[in-house]
Amino acid sequence: MLSAPGIDPKLYRDAMARYAGHVQIVTTAHEGVRRGVTITAACSVSDSPAMVLVCLNRQNEHNDIFLESGVFALNTLAAHHKGLADTFAGFTKLPAEERFAMAEWDELVTGAPALKDAIATYDCRIVDTKSVSTHNIFFGEVVGLRLGSKDQSLVYMDRSYHAI
């Protein structure tokens, strides 16, 4: 059986840049350490039980804390959170606690940091993890949920932010 030639990673990234994604910050806390990462790789899995998934690069050793904590909060960003998105994407090179100091956070159920003015926050307990290629996929059962204001959403497409 013949296999198709591999897809060039740069070509794939260029194609995926045309795929609009809602910008979110996924957070966790474990043994006094907080971690947050800006992502667009998240989606709903089920509404009964309520479940979402997030994809995180497992080649970044700092993301191991998500496995260790067993929880995460998925914080959906509004257009006015662009600076926060850049910070948690690592563009500013600030240490974690300085990143968290840029916004107001609290906790819902699991102890994961919840952005107080997020459009929505899904507080999750990790119920399954799959390692695929370069990423870990975390399936989170939503055990806490908060809806914020209906501000314009922050999306990422064509390597830039957009408000819709």
Side-chain angles (χ1 to χ4, degrees):
M1 180 173 176
L2 296 175
S3 62
I7 301 296
D8 175 62
K10 183 186 179 319
L11 179 64
Y12 179 77
R13 286 190 304 273
D14 289 344
M16 288 305 296
R18 297 178 184 183
Y19 186 89
H22 202 139
V23 182
Q24 306 189 62
I25 297 175
V26 61
T27 58
T28 196
H30 184 63
E31 297 180 348
V33 176
R34 295 191 293 181
R35 171 108 174 118
V37 181
T38 300
I39 64 170
T40 57
C43 67
S44 173
V45 174
S46 169
D47 67 357
S48 184
M51 189 171 300
V52 297
L53 69 76
V54 300
C55 301
L56 286 173
N57 190 328
R58 75 167 185 245
Q59 296 173 327
N60 183 332
E61 64 190 28
H62 298 291
N63 289 338
D64 290 346
I65 190 172
F66 287 90
L67 288 168
E68 296 162 2
S69 72
V71 300
F72 66 83
L74 184 62
N75 300 279
T76 305
L77 301 186
H80 70 270
H81 291 123
K82 180 186 175 300
L84 197 61
D86 279 345
T87 297
F88 279 87
F91 298 149
T92 62
K93 307 291 186 206
L94 291 175
E97 285 312 309
E98 288 182 38
R99 294 176 189 193
F100 281 100
M102 294 181 64
E104 291 187 44
W105 304 85
D106 61 5
E107 299 172 0
L108 299 183
V109 176
T110 68
L115 181 61
K116 283 188 174 182
D117 68 339
I119 290 175
T121 298
Y122 308 84
D123 194 21
C124 302
R125 184 180 65 244
I126 297 172
V127 295
D128 198 4
T129 303
K130 301 288 183 198
S131 294
V132 179
S133 190
T134 58
H135 283 65
N136 282 326
I137 305 167
F138 298 103
F139 293 86
E141 181 180 4
V142 180
V143 296
L145 180 65
R146 177 170 58 208
L147 292 178
S149 64
K150 291 186 176 183
D151 294 337
Q152 284 191 310
S153 297
L154 185 65
V155 298
Y156 196 76
M157 188 177 89
D158 290 331
R159 295 187 172 92
S160 63
Y161 295 110
H162 304 272
I164 57 169

